Amino acid sequence: MKSTDKFVLVLVASLALLLAGCGGGSSSNTGDDTDMSMDQIRDLNSARTTLRGALADLIASDVTQDDVDAASAARDALQRAITAADDVDDSVLTTYEDQLADANTAIQRAQGNLNDAENTAMMAMARKLFNGLKQGAAPDTDPTAAQTANGALENGRFVSLSSTAVTVDTDDGSDSVAPVSVKKTSTAVPSLSGWAGSDYVRKMDGTTDHVVLYSNRGTDSQKFSEKHSALITPGTGDDLGTFSIANANLIAATSQPFVKSSSFSTSGTKPHTEDDGDEVTIAGTFDGVSGQYSCTQGDGGGTCTSQILADGNILLGGGGTTGWAFVPSSLDALTQTMDSAYLIYGWWSRETSAGVDVATFASTVPTTADAVVLGNTAAVGINGKAKYEGGAAGKYAIYNPLGDNSSAGAFTAKATLEADFTNNMISGELTGFRSGGESMDDWEVSLDVGTAANITATGIS
């Protein structure tokens, strides 16, 4: 690569030749050509400066794919500037072309290092997960791949589900191991055959618990007056305003998630006052139904307030003995109630320095903790046949200790299965496999009638 000093000399000499033109030809044309050349050189320098900065990031020890992509974009920009510089002398362009060639080499090297690191990490994960999925002794043929599965999820089970977390347990329900609460994340999980997906992660003490869950939970519509009949205080006439939810019911813990208004507190405790001391009125909703909140100031003492709690719910306060009230816009307005009984299935992985373990679960919710044991105890004693067409999900591992074709991760698929509970057999197929957003066209699992899996109290084998 030419040094900066040499580049300046070449550039000055080239500009002098351009200014000289053709022995004193048209001064206006020479000036125009020079302006165009200067603009193109300015573009070249700008693109090269950006590229140099991007290449400097590739020297760092923690190079990422974003760094490589940024350098590639900067290289492409310099290439476009070189192509467009048709008024710049070739001897000047040589310097930029040399920079471009060096950039290509640096980018290829950085991308290769990233690919090597990714392959190494994938092989390590595939080896750990292969062992964790209890795939026999195959990995043990590699002397560096001792059986690492920690067995923590051998009897793993799903316990309960809330709006913010799932609770899972690593044993059979005894008190020897406490259940683990795994919090819901913001990671989007695409729906699977109409079932909504959710992602949960917990990292603590060198252990990462990861749960992906699918649910067919829906909602039921119910009239406001029917759902909240126990909370409504009726009046003596037909005036809608005589039907309200009084303070004692509004501030109850079970009602707080329903109390909403853009005027209520978003931080700490917020006072609500009127200059003339009259009743405070605030538009809002209760359980999604619009209406009006009201509170009389100084009624027995106390400013009307709203307070946002740690869980994001609103606690109303003040207003003396009367406190707050809510009048719905319509007693016949429909509210949405989440199903109280629904189905869930999914997988749970636990990763430590020793290895990765995986459990799967399928359950009805709600249920008691002791009833949701991993396996098929609910199928024991049932006779007849049943069909299932829908989604399937789990983890997979392909481990090749001698090559770079190892892979591991989560998958989804379409399942078409028939269970024969009389003979404790299940047959069918899994097709349409996907992993990491990509179709796995060559994957298919068939359970033929002659070799169908057995349904036992502890699982399907």
Side-chain angles (χ1 to χ4, degrees), residues 140-175:
D140 291 342
T141 58
D142 176 4
T144 65
Q147 190 68 271
T148 57
N150 55 37
L153 307 192
E154 179 112 20
N155 296 307
R157 64 201 184 104
F158 172 85
V159 178
S160 64
L161 170 68
S162 71
S163 61
T164 59
V166 294
T167 303
V168 284
D169 203 344
T170 58
D171 65 9
D172 59 1
S174 66
D175 295 330

PDB file of all heavy atoms in Angstrom, residues 140-175:
ATOM      1  N   ASP A 140     -19.636 -40.931  23.529  1.00  0.00           N
ATOM      2  CA  ASP A 140     -18.515 -41.427  24.306  1.00  0.00           C
ATOM      3  C   ASP A 140     -17.401 -41.972  23.428  1.00  0.00           C
ATOM      4  O   ASP A 140     -16.293 -42.214  23.904  1.00  0.00           O
ATOM      5  CB  ASP A 140     -18.983 -42.515  25.273  1.00  0.00           C
ATOM      6  CG  ASP A 140     -19.866 -41.950  26.377  1.00  0.00           C
ATOM      7  OD1 ASP A 140     -19.834 -40.728  26.591  1.00  0.00           O
ATOM      8  OD2 ASP A 140     -20.579 -42.741  27.003  1.00  0.00           O
ATOM      9  N   THR A 141     -17.668 -42.202  22.124  1.00  0.00           N
ATOM     10  CA  THR A 141     -16.603 -42.642  21.225  1.00  0.00           C
ATOM     11  C   THR A 141     -15.570 -41.544  21.046  1.00  0.00           C
ATOM     12  O   THR A 141     -14.448 -41.793  20.616  1.00  0.00           O
ATOM     13  CB  THR A 141     -17.177 -43.020  19.856  1.00  0.00           C
ATOM     14  OG1 THR A 141     -17.865 -41.886  19.308  1.00  0.00           O
ATOM     15  CG2 THR A 141     -18.169 -44.175  20.002  1.00  0.00           C
ATOM     16  N   ASP A 142     -15.946 -40.317  21.342  1.00  0.00           N
ATOM     17  CA  ASP A 142     -15.012 -39.199  21.340  1.00  0.00           C
ATOM     18  C   ASP A 142     -14.453 -39.087  22.754  1.00  0.00           C
ATOM     19  O   ASP A 142     -15.193 -38.830  23.697  1.00  0.00           O
ATOM     20  CB  ASP A 142     -15.738 -37.913  20.943  1.00  0.00           C
ATOM     21  CG  ASP A 142     -14.835 -36.685  21.026  1.00  0.00           C
ATOM     22  OD1 ASP A 142     -13.628 -36.859  21.312  1.00  0.00           O
ATOM     23  OD2 ASP A 142     -15.337 -35.577  20.827  1.00  0.00           O
ATOM     24  N   PRO A 143     -13.151 -39.304  22.949  1.00  0.00           N
ATOM     25  CA  PRO A 143     -12.594 -39.310  24.312  1.00  0.00           C
ATOM     26  C   PRO A 143     -12.790 -37.991  25.047  1.00  0.00           C
ATOM     27  O   PRO A 143     -12.711 -37.952  26.263  1.00  0.00           O
ATOM     28  CB  PRO A 143     -11.104 -39.608  24.080  1.00  0.00           C
ATOM     29  CG  PRO A 143     -10.860 -39.227  22.657  1.00  0.00           C
ATOM     30  CD  PRO A 143     -12.126 -39.526  21.930  1.00  0.00           C
ATOM     31  N   THR A 144     -13.053 -36.894  24.313  1.00  0.00           N
ATOM     32  CA  THR A 144     -13.252 -35.611  24.999  1.00  0.00           C
ATOM     33  C   THR A 144     -14.712 -35.378  25.360  1.00  0.00           C
ATOM     34  O   THR A 144     -15.054 -34.359  25.931  1.00  0.00           O
ATOM     35  CB  THR A 144     -12.792 -34.453  24.101  1.00  0.00           C
ATOM     36  OG1 THR A 144     -13.638 -34.391  22.936  1.00  0.00           O
ATOM     37  CG2 THR A 144     -11.363 -34.630  23.672  1.00  0.00           C
ATOM     38  N   ALA A 145     -15.589 -36.318  25.011  1.00  0.00           N
ATOM     39  CA  ALA A 145     -17.020 -36.130  25.235  1.00  0.00           C
ATOM     40  C   ALA A 145     -17.541 -37.128  26.248  1.00  0.00           C
ATOM     41  O   ALA A 145     -18.277 -38.051  25.935  1.00  0.00           O
ATOM     42  CB  ALA A 145     -17.788 -36.253  23.923  1.00  0.00           C
ATOM     43  N   ALA A 146     -17.136 -36.964  27.481  1.00  0.00           N
ATOM     44  CA  ALA A 146     -17.654 -37.829  28.533  1.00  0.00           C
ATOM     45  C   ALA A 146     -19.135 -37.539  28.729  1.00  0.00           C
ATOM     46  O   ALA A 146     -19.627 -36.474  28.355  1.00  0.00           O
ATOM     47  CB  ALA A 146     -16.895 -37.579  29.828  1.00  0.00           C
ATOM     48  N   GLN A 147     -19.844 -38.488  29.307  1.00  0.00           N
ATOM     49  CA  GLN A 147     -21.277 -38.278  29.529  1.00  0.00           C
ATOM     50  C   GLN A 147     -21.455 -37.120  30.509  1.00  0.00           C
ATOM     51  O   GLN A 147     -21.112 -37.216  31.681  1.00  0.00           O
ATOM     52  CB  GLN A 147     -21.887 -39.551  30.109  1.00  0.00           C
ATOM     53  CG  GLN A 147     -23.403 -39.549  30.167  1.00  0.00           C
ATOM     54  CD  GLN A 147     -24.042 -39.596  28.790  1.00  0.00           C
ATOM     55  OE1 GLN A 147     -24.270 -38.552  28.216  1.00  0.00           O
ATOM     56  NE2 GLN A 147     -24.291 -40.777  28.279  1.00  0.00           N
ATOM     57  N   THR A 148     -21.965 -35.989  30.013  1.00  0.00           N
ATOM     58  CA  THR A 148     -22.004 -34.776  30.838  1.00  0.00           C
ATOM     59  C   THR A 148     -23.394 -34.418  31.331  1.00  0.00           C
ATOM     60  O   THR A 148     -23.547 -33.467  32.085  1.00  0.00           O
ATOM     61  CB  THR A 148     -21.466 -33.576  30.040  1.00  0.00           C
ATOM     62  OG1 THR A 148     -22.245 -33.427  28.846  1.00  0.00           O
ATOM     63  CG2 THR A 148     -20.014 -33.773  29.667  1.00  0.00           C
ATOM     64  N   ALA A 149     -24.428 -35.111  30.891  1.00  0.00           N
ATOM     65  CA  ALA A 149     -25.779 -34.742  31.311  1.00  0.00           C
ATOM     66  C   ALA A 149     -25.881 -34.816  32.826  1.00  0.00           C
ATOM     67  O   ALA A 149     -25.499 -35.795  33.442  1.00  0.00           O
ATOM     68  CB  ALA A 149     -26.786 -35.686  30.674  1.00  0.00           C
ATOM     69  N   ASN A 150     -26.394 -33.742  33.440  1.00  0.00           N
ATOM     70  CA  ASN A 150     -26.420 -33.713  34.898  1.00  0.00           C
ATOM     71  C   ASN A 150     -27.652 -34.406  35.470  1.00  0.00           C
ATOM     72  O   ASN A 150     -27.760 -34.574  36.671  1.00  0.00           O
ATOM     73  CB  ASN A 150     -26.340 -32.269  35.422  1.00  0.00           C
ATOM     74  CG  ASN A 150     -27.419 -31.384  34.838  1.00  0.00           C
ATOM     75  OD1 ASN A 150     -28.539 -31.832  34.639  1.00  0.00           O
ATOM     76  ND2 ASN A 150     -27.084 -30.137  34.557  1.00  0.00           N
ATOM     77  N   GLY A 151     -28.594 -34.782  34.627  1.00  0.00           N
ATOM     78  CA  GLY A 151     -29.739 -35.558  35.105  1.00  0.00           C
ATOM     79  C   GLY A 151     -30.724 -34.787  35.942  1.00  0.00           C
ATOM     80  O   GLY A 151     -31.620 -35.370  36.540  1.00  0.00           O
ATOM     81  N   ALA A 152     -30.580 -33.477  36.020  1.00  0.00           N
ATOM     82  CA  ALA A 152     -31.450 -32.684  36.897  1.00  0.00           C
ATOM     83  C   ALA A 152     -32.902 -32.742  36.474  1.00  0.00           C
ATOM     84  O   ALA A 152     -33.796 -32.624  37.302  1.00  0.00           O
ATOM     85  CB  ALA A 152     -30.972 -31.230  36.927  1.00  0.00           C
ATOM     86  N   LEU A 153     -33.169 -32.930  35.190  1.00  0.00           N
ATOM     87  CA  LEU A 153     -34.540 -32.896  34.706  1.00  0.00           C
ATOM     88  C   LEU A 153     -35.091 -34.287  34.419  1.00  0.00           C
ATOM     89  O   LEU A 153     -36.075 -34.434  33.708  1.00  0.00           O
ATOM     90  CB  LEU A 153     -34.635 -32.037  33.440  1.00  0.00           C
ATOM     91  CG  LEU A 153     -34.068 -30.623  33.528  1.00  0.00           C
ATOM     92  CD1 LEU A 153     -34.481 -29.811  32.320  1.00  0.00           C
ATOM     93  CD2 LEU A 153     -34.514 -29.933  34.802  1.00  0.00           C
ATOM     94  N   GLU A 154     -34.430 -35.301  34.988  1.00  0.00           N
ATOM     95  CA  GLU A 154     -34.884 -36.674  34.739  1.00  0.00           C
ATOM     96  C   GLU A 154     -36.364 -36.805  35.063  1.00  0.00           C
ATOM     97  O   GLU A 154     -37.125 -37.445  34.352  1.00  0.00           O
ATOM     98  CB  GLU A 154     -34.069 -37.645  35.589  1.00  0.00           C
ATOM     99  CG  GLU A 154     -34.483 -39.089  35.417  1.00  0.00           C
ATOM    100  CD  GLU A 154     -33.410 -39.909  34.736  1.00  0.00           C
ATOM    101  OE1 GLU A 154     -32.242 -39.493  34.737  1.00  0.00           O
ATOM    102  OE2 GLU A 154     -33.769 -40.952  34.188  1.00  0.00           O
ATOM    103  N   ASN A 155     -36.792 -36.201  36.155  1.00  0.00           N
ATOM    104  CA  ASN A 155     -38.205 -36.220  36.539  1.00  0.00           C
ATOM    105  C   ASN A 155     -38.791 -34.812  36.472  1.00  0.00           C
ATOM    106  O   ASN A 155     -39.694 -34.466  37.222  1.00  0.00           O
ATOM    107  CB  ASN A 155     -38.369 -36.773  37.953  1.00  0.00           C
ATOM    108  CG  ASN A 155     -37.928 -38.224  38.044  1.00  0.00           C
ATOM    109  OD1 ASN A 155     -38.379 -39.045  37.275  1.00  0.00           O
ATOM    110  ND2 ASN A 155     -37.013 -38.510  38.959  1.00  0.00           N
ATOM    111  N   GLY A 156     -38.225 -33.979  35.561  1.00  0.00           N
ATOM    112  CA  GLY A 156     -38.680 -32.599  35.469  1.00  0.00           C
ATOM    113  C   GLY A 156     -40.158 -32.500  35.140  1.00  0.00           C
ATOM    114  O   GLY A 156     -40.722 -33.351  34.463  1.00  0.00           O
ATOM    115  N   ARG A 157     -40.803 -31.464  35.636  1.00  0.00           N
ATOM    116  CA  ARG A 157     -42.222 -31.314  35.402  1.00  0.00           C
ATOM    117  C   ARG A 157     -42.635 -29.852  35.442  1.00  0.00           C
ATOM    118  O   ARG A 157     -41.975 -29.021  36.056  1.00  0.00           O
ATOM    119  CB  ARG A 157     -43.024 -32.096  36.437  1.00  0.00           C
ATOM    120  CG  ARG A 157     -42.818 -31.576  37.838  1.00  0.00           C
ATOM    121  CD  ARG A 157     -43.183 -32.609  38.887  1.00  0.00           C
ATOM    122  NE  ARG A 157     -43.047 -31.981  40.196  1.00  0.00           N
ATOM    123  CZ  ARG A 157     -44.080 -31.580  40.927  1.00  0.00           C
ATOM    124  NH1 ARG A 157     -45.309 -31.768  40.519  1.00  0.00           N
ATOM    125  NH2 ARG A 157     -43.883 -30.994  42.080  1.00  0.00           N
ATOM    126  N   PHE A 158     -43.727 -29.575  34.793  1.00  0.00           N
ATOM    127  CA  PHE A 158     -44.328 -28.247  34.814  1.00  0.00           C
ATOM    128  C   PHE A 158     -45.255 -28.163  36.021  1.00  0.00           C
ATOM    129  O   PHE A 158     -45.997 -29.098  36.318  1.00  0.00           O
ATOM    130  CB  PHE A 158     -45.127 -28.043  33.523  1.00  0.00           C
ATOM    131  CG  PHE A 158     -45.942 -26.793  33.510  1.00  0.00           C
ATOM    132  CD1 PHE A 158     -45.379 -25.595  33.126  1.00  0.00           C
ATOM    133  CD2 PHE A 158     -47.274 -26.816  33.879  1.00  0.00           C
ATOM    134  CE1 PHE A 158     -46.125 -24.442  33.108  1.00  0.00           C
ATOM    135  CE2 PHE A 158     -48.038 -25.676  33.857  1.00  0.00           C
ATOM    136  CZ  PHE A 158     -47.461 -24.482  33.478  1.00  0.00           C
ATOM    137  N   VAL A 159     -45.230 -27.041  36.734  1.00  0.00           N
ATOM    138  CA  VAL A 159     -46.037 -26.908  37.939  1.00  0.00           C
ATOM    139  C   VAL A 159     -47.168 -25.909  37.755  1.00  0.00           C
ATOM    140  O   VAL A 159     -48.337 -26.226  37.944  1.00  0.00           O
ATOM    141  CB  VAL A 159     -45.171 -26.512  39.162  1.00  0.00           C
ATOM    142  CG1 VAL A 159     -46.041 -26.338  40.394  1.00  0.00           C
ATOM    143  CG2 VAL A 159     -44.102 -27.569  39.404  1.00  0.00           C
ATOM    144  N   SER A 160     -46.838 -24.669  37.367  1.00  0.00           N
ATOM    145  CA  SER A 160     -47.888 -23.665  37.255  1.00  0.00           C
ATOM    146  C   SER A 160     -47.473 -22.564  36.294  1.00  0.00           C
ATOM    147  O   SER A 160     -46.305 -22.442  35.917  1.00  0.00           O
ATOM    148  CB  SER A 160     -48.212 -23.066  38.630  1.00  0.00           C
ATOM    149  OG  SER A 160     -47.076 -22.365  39.141  1.00  0.00           O
ATOM    150  N   LEU A 161     -48.438 -21.741  35.926  1.00  0.00           N
ATOM    151  CA  LEU A 161     -48.235 -20.684  34.941  1.00  0.00           C
ATOM    152  C   LEU A 161     -48.941 -19.428  35.412  1.00  0.00           C
ATOM    153  O   LEU A 161     -50.075 -19.470  35.872  1.00  0.00           O
ATOM    154  CB  LEU A 161     -48.811 -21.126  33.585  1.00  0.00           C
ATOM    155  CG  LEU A 161     -48.907 -20.080  32.475  1.00  0.00           C
ATOM    156  CD1 LEU A 161     -47.519 -19.681  32.015  1.00  0.00           C
ATOM    157  CD2 LEU A 161     -49.710 -20.641  31.306  1.00  0.00           C
ATOM    158  N   SER A 162     -48.236 -18.283  35.302  1.00  0.00           N
ATOM    159  CA  SER A 162     -48.857 -16.990  35.567  1.00  0.00           C
ATOM    160  C   SER A 162     -48.600 -16.105  34.358  1.00  0.00           C
ATOM    161  O   SER A 162     -48.006 -16.529  33.369  1.00  0.00           O
ATOM    162  CB  SER A 162     -48.271 -16.349  36.831  1.00  0.00           C
ATOM    163  OG  SER A 162     -46.935 -15.912  36.602  1.00  0.00           O
ATOM    164  N   SER A 163     -49.025 -14.836  34.435  1.00  0.00           N
ATOM    165  CA  SER A 163     -48.835 -13.926  33.306  1.00  0.00           C
ATOM    166  C   SER A 163     -47.384 -13.520  33.134  1.00  0.00           C
ATOM    167  O   SER A 163     -46.992 -13.036  32.073  1.00  0.00           O
ATOM    168  CB  SER A 163     -49.698 -12.679  33.496  1.00  0.00           C
ATOM    169  OG  SER A 163     -49.328 -11.993  34.683  1.00  0.00           O
ATOM    170  N   THR A 164     -46.548 -13.724  34.151  1.00  0.00           N
ATOM    171  CA  THR A 164     -45.164 -13.260  34.093  1.00  0.00           C
ATOM    172  C   THR A 164     -44.127 -14.364  34.230  1.00  0.00           C
ATOM    173  O   THR A 164     -42.945 -14.120  34.023  1.00  0.00           O
ATOM    174  CB  THR A 164     -44.900 -12.222  35.200  1.00  0.00           C
ATOM    175  OG1 THR A 164     -45.160 -12.821  36.485  1.00  0.00           O
ATOM    176  CG2 THR A 164     -45.786 -10.996  35.023  1.00  0.00           C
ATOM    177  N   ALA A 165     -44.528 -15.570  34.575  1.00  0.00           N
ATOM    178  CA  ALA A 165     -43.532 -16.623  34.824  1.00  0.00           C
ATOM    179  C   ALA A 165     -44.183 -17.998  34.762  1.00  0.00           C
ATOM    180  O   ALA A 165     -45.413 -18.135  34.802  1.00  0.00           O
ATOM    181  CB  ALA A 165     -42.873 -16.424  36.196  1.00  0.00           C
ATOM    182  N   VAL A 166     -43.320 -19.011  34.639  1.00  0.00           N
ATOM    183  CA  VAL A 166     -43.744 -20.398  34.816  1.00  0.00           C
ATOM    184  C   VAL A 166     -42.960 -20.971  35.985  1.00  0.00           C
ATOM    185  O   VAL A 166     -41.840 -20.538  36.278  1.00  0.00           O
ATOM    186  CB  VAL A 166     -43.502 -21.258  33.559  1.00  0.00           C
ATOM    187  CG1 VAL A 166     -44.373 -20.807  32.411  1.00  0.00           C
ATOM    188  CG2 VAL A 166     -42.034 -21.241  33.167  1.00  0.00           C
ATOM    189  N   THR A 167     -43.555 -21.923  36.657  1.00  0.00           N
ATOM    190  CA  THR A 167     -42.880 -22.610  37.746  1.00  0.00           C
ATOM    191  C   THR A 167     -42.667 -24.053  37.332  1.00  0.00           C
ATOM    192  O   THR A 167     -43.607 -24.732  36.910  1.00  0.00           O
ATOM    193  CB  THR A 167     -43.702 -22.553  39.041  1.00  0.00           C
ATOM    194  OG1 THR A 167     -43.946 -21.186  39.376  1.00  0.00           O
ATOM    195  CG2 THR A 167     -42.950 -23.212  40.184  1.00  0.00           C
ATOM    196  N   VAL A 168     -41.414 -24.504  37.415  1.00  0.00           N
ATOM    197  CA  VAL A 168     -41.061 -25.862  37.022  1.00  0.00           C
ATOM    198  C   VAL A 168     -40.314 -26.525  38.173  1.00  0.00           C
ATOM    199  O   VAL A 168     -39.722 -25.860  39.025  1.00  0.00           O
ATOM    200  CB  VAL A 168     -40.190 -25.862  35.745  1.00  0.00           C
ATOM    201  CG1 VAL A 168     -41.042 -25.594  34.521  1.00  0.00           C
ATOM    202  CG2 VAL A 168     -39.079 -24.815  35.834  1.00  0.00           C
ATOM    203  N   ASP A 169     -40.368 -27.840  38.194  1.00  0.00           N
ATOM    204  CA  ASP A 169     -39.815 -28.587  39.310  1.00  0.00           C
ATOM    205  C   ASP A 169     -38.903 -29.686  38.772  1.00  0.00           C
ATOM    206  O   ASP A 169     -39.188 -30.274  37.732  1.00  0.00           O
ATOM    207  CB  ASP A 169     -40.960 -29.207  40.121  1.00  0.00           C
ATOM    208  CG  ASP A 169     -40.541 -29.511  41.550  1.00  0.00           C
ATOM    209  OD1 ASP A 169     -39.323 -29.521  41.816  1.00  0.00           O
ATOM    210  OD2 ASP A 169     -41.421 -29.739  42.395  1.00  0.00           O
ATOM    211  N   THR A 170     -37.821 -29.978  39.497  1.00  0.00           N
ATOM    212  CA  THR A 170     -36.847 -30.948  39.008  1.00  0.00           C
ATOM    213  C   THR A 170     -37.025 -32.332  39.610  1.00  0.00           C
ATOM    214  O   THR A 170     -36.222 -33.217  39.343  1.00  0.00           O
ATOM    215  CB  THR A 170     -35.413 -30.473  39.324  1.00  0.00           C
ATOM    216  OG1 THR A 170     -35.287 -30.293  40.736  1.00  0.00           O
ATOM    217  CG2 THR A 170     -35.119 -29.186  38.611  1.00  0.00           C
ATOM    218  N   ASP A 171     -38.058 -32.537  40.438  1.00  0.00           N
ATOM    219  CA  ASP A 171     -38.223 -33.882  40.992  1.00  0.00           C
ATOM    220  C   ASP A 171     -39.689 -34.302  40.903  1.00  0.00           C
ATOM    221  O   ASP A 171     -40.480 -33.711  40.162  1.00  0.00           O
ATOM    222  CB  ASP A 171     -37.694 -33.958  42.413  1.00  0.00           C
ATOM    223  CG  ASP A 171     -38.494 -33.087  43.379  1.00  0.00           C
ATOM    224  OD1 ASP A 171     -39.553 -32.555  42.983  1.00  0.00           O
ATOM    225  OD2 ASP A 171     -38.064 -32.951  44.519  1.00  0.00           O
ATOM    226  N   ASP A 172     -40.052 -35.297  41.639  1.00  0.00           N
ATOM    227  CA  ASP A 172     -41.377 -35.901  41.498  1.00  0.00           C
ATOM    228  C   ASP A 172     -42.410 -35.308  42.450  1.00  0.00           C
ATOM    229  O   ASP A 172     -43.456 -35.895  42.694  1.00  0.00           O
ATOM    230  CB  ASP A 172     -41.286 -37.413  41.713  1.00  0.00           C
ATOM    231  CG  ASP A 172     -40.728 -37.749  43.092  1.00  0.00           C
ATOM    232  OD1 ASP A 172     -40.439 -36.800  43.861  1.00  0.00           O
ATOM    233  OD2 ASP A 172     -40.593 -38.940  43.404  1.00  0.00           O
ATOM    234  N   GLY A 173     -42.144 -34.140  42.987  1.00  0.00           N
ATOM    235  CA  GLY A 173     -43.117 -33.508  43.857  1.00  0.00           C
ATOM    236  C   GLY A 173     -42.768 -33.550  45.330  1.00  0.00           C
ATOM    237  O   GLY A 173     -43.506 -33.006  46.157  1.00  0.00           O
ATOM    238  N   SER A 174     -41.672 -34.205  45.698  1.00  0.00           N
ATOM    239  CA  SER A 174     -41.273 -34.213  47.099  1.00  0.00           C
ATOM    240  C   SER A 174     -40.705 -32.856  47.471  1.00  0.00           C
ATOM    241  O   SER A 174     -40.520 -31.988  46.631  1.00  0.00           O
ATOM    242  CB  SER A 174     -40.226 -35.301  47.333  1.00  0.00           C
ATOM    243  OG  SER A 174     -39.022 -34.973  46.639  1.00  0.00           O
ATOM    244  N   ASP A 175     -40.436 -32.658  48.717  1.00  0.00           N
ATOM    245  CA  ASP A 175     -39.946 -31.367  49.185  1.00  0.00           C
ATOM    246  C   ASP A 175     -38.426 -31.252  49.142  1.00  0.00           C
ATOM    247  O   ASP A 175     -37.861 -30.276  49.635  1.00  0.00           O
ATOM    248  CB  ASP A 175     -40.424 -31.117  50.631  1.00  0.00           C
ATOM    249  CG  ASP A 175     -41.933 -31.001  50.714  1.00  0.00           C
ATOM    250  OD1 ASP A 175     -42.529 -30.553  49.723  1.00  0.00           O
ATOM    251  OD2 ASP A 175     -42.499 -31.376  51.763  1.00  0.00           O
TER     252      ASP A 175
END
